[in-house]
Amino acid sequence: MASAACASADASSRSVGARNLQSVADSDELARLDASAQAALVRSGRVSPLELVDAAIARIERLNPRLNALVTPDFDRARDRARLVNASGAGPFPGVPYAIKDLLDVKGLRRTSGSRLLRDNVAATSAPLVLRSEDSGLIVLGKTNTPEFALDASTEPLLFGPSRNPWDVSRSPGGSSGGAAVAVASGMLPMAHASDGGGSIRIPASCCGLFGMKPSRGRMVGSADTDSGVENCVSHSIRDSARLFAWNQRSDAQAPLPATPVVERASPQRLRIGVCIEDVFGRQPSADVRQATLAAAALCERLGHHVAHVRLPVDGEQFMDGFMTAWSGGAEHMLRVAESRNADPQQALEPWTLYLAQHARGLPPQAPARARTTFAQVRENMDALFSAIDVLLSPVVADEPPPLGFLGPQVPGPLLWERLLRYVGYTPIHNVAGTPAMSVPLGRSSHGLPIGTQFAARLGGESMLFALAYELEAAKPWLDLRG
């Protein structure tokens, strides 16, 4: 069955296309359409790629000064590329505006990774995923904001300043793909590139009321089957994410998973859904998150799925010790880079990055091997869990989007680590296990802020998750709920 949101978007694209818009760039009609509907307008000839791009630039110029989603614009080249788009090409998104998170290289643009250390770094080439995404017809308008080296769950880099949640500008949009989520949730763009090494797609999707799928380990172009971090996007509609996922997945002979076709609709298959309210430490989330998670479970039960409560098969202390070892190792590497350039670490790197780096330098020599042993056991335990259930349903984060500054990089290191442990106790386990997981915007807090629900499956189970997401989108549409 096709989703209600997809049908609505198709109808909207016909409505916009039928109107003789005198100035598309001055109209917010396009902002209400998903990427697939915008592409349909281009294919029909009703709107040109340049009109799509100009409309998106107009929205960015109006909204970005307040929200700070895009940190490095590339408007002139975007307009040049839009003039060359082949509307009848093979890609699913001809002429659709897009942006790349400031962790991936785009040829000719600076790539800072949110750090003052790299403020003048300009990419000589584009990353493989960027090239593949452009082959889909997407037009890159620039780079989106991210916390320094993606090491935080809130997007507040000292280099560029904080991105602001469109639902409440005093709140965090999450991280590390916070700029991407703000750009999409505010209507600047219909979807945007995002990446996830510990929750960085799912957390901002939850905070900003979007859909976000973290693919399986090694699934996407440019990734390896040993990476815990993966690339994809944040979007309003399921079909946008599903189509870009299918386009950007690996199909080479060394790919660890077979490529899957585009998932376009829900499935009649009824699933065994395990519900876990507690985080890896066995702690309860806030009352709002608990209520939203139980409501999502009840919705799945009404749809005919088989729902039962389960527990995460993990020792939380041991797991997070291992995750901190791996996480802080990346910060320590960047400290060595700063030292090799004779840069003052206090000026080049943020306090949180320095805290993590010093933590890594204080670890015993056996810590990395101990973390690898822990992670291997987690993967084995999660594989066993998914032999008993098809899908694991849980919160994404423990509370509604926090105020800006609560998870900021200048919070004292021990306190920030304590807050992060409390906030992100649900997402990193799927990076370590390599399992796909998605945030679906099904809930709202008592303050009216978005609360996502996380659904995960065994390695390679993205098609099943997309099919479930279409069903949830039809049962509880969210496409018109915007920040």
Side-chain angles (χ1 to χ4, degrees):
M1 117 183 123
S3 74
C6 289
S8 173
D10 283 334
S12 296
S13 68
R14 288 192 295 271
S15 174
V16 172
R19 293 173 58 185
N20 182 21
L21 297 176
Q22 293 182 346
S23 177
V24 177
D26 291 336
S27 172
D28 283 336
E29 292 282 351
L30 291 172
R32 290 195 285 271
L33 302 182
D34 69 354
S36 296
Q38 291 190 25
L41 288 177
V42 170
R43 287 197 192 90
S44 71
R46 295 166 183 158
V47 172
S48 73
L50 183 58
E51 286 174 319
L52 283 186
V53 167
D54 280 339
I57 290 172
R59 294 192 298 272
I60 292 168
E61 289 177 337
R62 184 173 75 250
L63 298 171
N64 200 58
R66 184 168 184 241
L67 299 176
N68 196 31
L70 207 75
V71 293
T72 302
D74 194 24
F75 296 160
D76 289 342
R77 288 201 304 177
R79 288 184 170 111
D80 290 341
R81 286 190 292 268
R83 294 184 181 99
L84 300 175
V85 167
N86 178 7
S88 60
F93 300 112
V96 173
Y98 196 60
I100 301 295
K101 183 178 175 181
D102 196 22
L103 289 180
L104 280 188
D105 284 345
V106 176
K107 184 178 180 179
L109 283 187
R110 65 177 176 176
R111 193 264 300 156
T112 72
S113 298
S115 177
R116 293 168 294 178
L117 177 66
L118 302 178
R119 69 167 74 234
D120 298 319
N121 176 57
V122 176
T125 59
S126 290
L129 190 92
V130 172
L131 295 173
R132 177 67 72 87
S133 297
E134 289 178 329
D135 285 344
S136 77
L138 292 168
I139 306 293
V140 175
L141 269 63
K143 307 291 285 294
T144 58
N145 206 5
T146 182
E148 185 169 64
F149 307 122
L151 292 172
D152 201 353
S154 185
T155 302
E156 306 179 40
L158 298 184
L159 175 61
F160 294 120
S163 292
R164 298 182 177 277
N165 195 320
W167 292 81
D168 179 344
V169 294
S170 72
R171 301 275 183 157
S172 169
S176 62
S177 305
V182 171
V184 177
S186 65
M188 295 182 204
L189 300 169
M191 64 177 177
H193 164 256
S195 60
D196 193 316
S200 293
I201 290 174
R202 292 158 287 161
I203 293 168
S206 176
C207 288
C208 294
L210 302 174
F211 176 77
M213 170 74 79
K214 181 201 86 69
S216 297
R217 177 185 285 112
R219 170 71 85 176
M220 309 306 282
V221 166
S223 64
D225 58 7
T226 57
D227 294 342
S228 62
V230 289
E231 315 285 338
N232 199 18
C233 66
V234 288
S235 65
H236 283 294
S237 71
I238 307 303
R239 66 177 181 172
D240 283 355
S241 185
R243 290 170 180 177
L244 188 60
F245 166 85
W247 182 268
N248 281 341
Q249 66 182 319
R250 289 175 60 185
S251 58
D252 57 280
Q254 288 74 43
L257 296 164
T260 63
V262 181
V263 179
E264 296 280 10
R265 59 186 59 83
S267 167
Q269 179 187 5
R270 296 302 85 186
L271 303 172
R272 300 169 298 166
I273 298 180
V275 178
C276 184
I277 303 295
E278 300 81 14
D279 68 6
V280 293
F281 297 103
R283 299 177 301 197
Q284 293 283 331
S286 71
D288 281 348
V289 170
R290 177 181 171 82
Q291 182 179 359
T293 307
L294 291 174
L299 173 60
C300 290
E301 196 162 32
R302 289 197 300 273
L303 293 171
H305 299 286
H306 310 287
V307 176
H309 286 271
V310 299
R311 295 186 65 85
L312 290 175
V314 62
D315 181 314
E317 294 288 346
Q318 191 177 67
F319 173 76
M320 281 302 190
D321 281 349
F323 194 78
M324 179 60 150
T325 296
W327 205 6
S328 63
E332 197 277 331
H333 170 74
M334 296 314 302
L335 177 56
R336 282 188 278 115
V337 170
E339 291 169 342
S340 72
R341 299 182 179 186
N342 296 317
D344 179 358
Q346 301 296 327
Q347 297 299 316
L349 300 175
E350 295 179 351
W352 173 235
T353 302
L354 291 171
Y355 172 78
L356 290 174
Q358 295 302 332
H359 173 87
R361 290 187 172 180
L363 290 171
Q366 65 271 25
R370 190 167 59 224
R372 288 192 294 271
T373 299
T374 297
F375 293 168
Q377 186 63 58
V378 167
R379 288 191 286 271
E380 184 178 322
N381 291 350
M382 292 297 285
D383 191 57
L385 176 64
F386 284 118
S387 69
I389 61 174
D390 300 309
V391 171
L392 176 64
L393 187 163
S394 75
V396 178
V397 287
D399 208 343
E400 66 181 1
L404 286 168
F406 184 76
L407 298 176
Q410 294 178 298
V411 173
L415 177 59
L416 181 52
W417 177 238
E418 178 184 332
R419 289 175 176 178
L420 286 169
L421 284 179
R422 172 64 185 160
Y423 189 58
V424 299
Y426 298 93
T427 53
I429 191 170
H430 296 296
N431 297 86
V432 168
T435 44
M438 62 184 183
S439 177
V440 184
L442 296 175
R444 294 286 179 271
S445 75
S446 55
H447 295 110
L449 298 172
I451 295 176
T453 302
Q454 181 169 240
F455 297 83
R458 68 166 58 249
L459 191 73
E462 289 94 340
S463 292
M464 179 171 59
L465 291 178
F466 276 125
L468 174 60
Y470 277 119
E471 188 176 10
L472 295 169
E473 187 184 39
K476 194 174 182 181
W478 58 77
L479 193 61
D480 291 329
L481 299 176
R482 304 292 177 101

